[in-house]
Amino acid sequence: MVHNFEYRMNLFRKEIQASSMPKHLITAALNSLPNLEDDNRNFWLGAVGIRHDSAIVHAKNGSISCDRTFKRHEKFPYLHAEGRVIRKIGTFGKAIYVSRISRLDGSFAMARPCGTCSILITSRNIEKVYYSINSNQYGIWLVKKDQDKVFNIS
């Protein structure tokens, strides 16, 4: 069974790397892929953050030691990839890239931050959030203007 899992992850990696998505969305997507077969979520979500000093940090959804009593992850944004990457960025981040990958076929899916993560992003003065929409589109949320722009990939 592990062989099948590794084979699928390698196929997903190749498909993601061949995408025309912006470079850091691809990195976020690759970072989101699980290391263990028993990760049974329907999707995987990863984030890449760019600090003002241009350092790059990575995070993905979930927690290594997750307290099983958490009922709603929205209440704990540090479990979301966006919240975890913001903790690594600090107060003034330049940009965040968020990608969601479908477990079913390895395709990109909607990854715009949830309401709680959006509040956290706004409070930390992040300038832009790039996010996957599907395998043919991505969006940029201009945080200060609270405006989204959608881009098609050829």
Side-chain angles (χ1 to χ4, degrees), residues 36-55:
L36 302 172
E37 186 174 8
D38 62 355
D39 185 343
N40 59 1
R41 293 176 288 171
N42 292 327
F43 65 88
W44 302 298
L45 196 130
V48 170
I50 312 294
R51 294 190 326 207
H52 275 292
D53 65 359
S54 298

Side-chain angles (χ1 to χ4, degrees), residues 6-148:
E6 290 172 2
Y7 178 76
R8 282 186 66 216
M9 291 303 106
N10 284 332
L11 284 178
F12 288 175
R13 280 184 194 91
K14 287 178 184 175
E15 209 173 291
I16 291 166
Q17 289 169 335
S19 168
S20 296
M21 286 282 185
K23 179 179 88 172
H24 290 304
L25 280 177
I26 290 173
T27 303
L30 291 171
N31 184 54
S32 75
L33 295 177
N35 298 324
L36 302 172
E37 186 174 8
D38 62 355
D39 185 343
N40 59 1
R41 293 176 288 171
N42 292 327
F43 65 88
W44 302 298
L45 196 130
V48 170
I50 312 294
R51 294 190 326 207
H52 275 292
D53 65 359
S54 298
I56 298 172
V57 295
H58 304 265
K60 61 179 158 183
N61 262 14
S63 176
I64 294 169
S65 57
C66 181
D67 181 349
R68 301 253 180 222
T69 63
F70 291 168
K71 301 284 188 221
R72 293 183 47 102
H73 291 282
E74 289 78 20
K75 291 184 179 178
F76 305 97
Y78 52 84
L79 292 178
H80 287 188
E82 303 94 316
R84 295 176 80 181
V85 85
I86 285 172
R87 283 182 43 213
K88 294 178 181 182
I89 285 177
T91 306
F92 294 98
K94 203 174 194 177
I96 294 177
Y97 296 78
V98 187
S99 290
R100 180 184 299 238
I101 299 299
S102 167
R103 178 189 183 104
L104 180 65
D105 61 4
S107 62
F108 284 90
M110 177 57 84
R112 191 173 193 299
C114 72
T116 303
C117 288
S118 294
I119 291 168
L120 184 60
I121 288 165
T122 302
S123 71
R124 292 295 181 95
N125 299 310
I126 306 296
E127 296 170 13
K128 294 179 184 177
V129 177
Y130 295 76
Y131 56 93
S132 62
I133 295 174
N134 56 48
S135 292
N136 299 314
Q137 294 179 311
Y138 69 95
I140 300 175
W141 172 34
L142 304 171
V143 179
K144 288 183 182 179
K145 293 181 179 180
D146 195 23
Q147 181 182 51
D148 286 91

